[in-house]
Amino acid sequence: MNPALPYNETMEIFISEIPEEGLHRNGVLAATIFGLSPEDSIQPAGDITYNATIYHFDGVVTFEGSLTGKFQLQCNTCLEYLDYEANFSKWSSDLELDEDQQSFDLAEIIREDFLLDLPSYPRCDELVPGKLCPKAHYVVKIQKPLEEEAKSEESDNAWGTLDQLKD
Ligand SMILES: [Zn+2]
């Protein structure tokens, strides 16, 4: 551990610290809060910034603000990693406290919300405008005259094609 690092990996906040008008916290968290393996489909590519206002009412802590961070996400289809800049400008979340819970870790809340809100099945052609995924099967639809379409409907549908392939 390098003691010169300007950030922590945990950020304990006590419920008793939260005033009625809300507690404001902003700053930077190290990518290491994610603790993901190098094989994971999500790879943090830099620090996380957060801007949070924290409220507590009746056993529920709510968070409002924004989260940003750079990631490398693995395309679900071709397995290539792509740059992805997460910018959750309207972040909100809540935490239901256990009966005797005195504190919580803000870093853990932020970590979980990133993992929840990042695209769960990213595709490179969806994340990068104009890109075609090299492993995706694109269906090209060709417009046919209506009459012809009706005649060839049987052999044209996907199941028909599959049956032919099986033979
Ligand atoms: Zn791809």
Side-chain angles (χ1 to χ4, degrees):
M1 259 288 156
N2 181 352
L5 280 178
Y7 29 56
N8 302 314
E9 289 185 15
T10 60
M11 213 178 347
E12 188 171 29
I13 291 185
F14 284 88
I15 308 303
S16 57
E17 291 180 75
I18 306 173
E20 209 175 315
E21 67 274 17
L23 177 73
H24 193 74
R25 285 280 183 274
N26 65 335
V28 176
L29 286 167
T32 49
I33 62 161
F34 289 99
L36 298 169
S37 88
E39 286 87 47
D40 203 278
S41 63
I42 297 172
Q43 295 298 327
D47 296 338
I48 297 307
T49 61
Y50 64 92
N51 195 330
T53 308
I54 304 161
Y55 302 93
H56 172 237
F57 181 73
D58 212 12
V60 180
V61 177
T62 57
F63 307 86
E64 280 173 19
S66 60
L67 302 175
T68 60
K70 287 184 179 155
F71 293 84
Q72 292 243 297
L73 300 182
Q74 190 175 32
C75 171
N76 196 42
T77 305
C78 69
L79 309 183
E80 194 187 312
Y81 280 91
L82 316 135
D83 293 332
Y84 183 80
E85 209 166 330
N87 185 358
F88 306 129
S89 57
K90 289 194 171 132
W91 170 53
S92 74
S93 191
D94 51 52
L95 169 72
E96 224 168 289
L97 297 170
D98 293 333
E99 217 161 285
D100 50 1
Q101 192 171 346
Q102 304 292 313
S103 69
F104 60 90
D105 178 8
L106 181 60
E108 184 57 26
I109 304 280
I110 291 170
R111 174 188 188 276
E112 279 176 18
D113 281 354
F114 265 111
L115 295 180
L116 275 177
D117 291 341
L118 287 169
S120 20
Y121 299 101
R123 273 264 300 259
C124 61
D125 50 356
E126 284 162 12
L127 297 182
V128 183
K131 187 180 163 72
L132 292 181
C133 180
K135 289 281 166 69
H137 299 286
Y138 293 98
V139 176
V140 180
K141 267 210 140 176
I142 298 165
Q143 199 76 42
K144 286 185 192 171
L146 274 180
E147 216 172 290
E148 197 185 321
E149 184 136 295
K151 259 189 267 166
S152 63
E153 205 164 77
E154 192 86 326
S155 61
D156 224 26
N157 77 41
W159 296 113
T161 313
L162 277 180
D163 284 339
Q164 281 168 19
L165 285 174
K166 265 190 270 172
D167 291 348

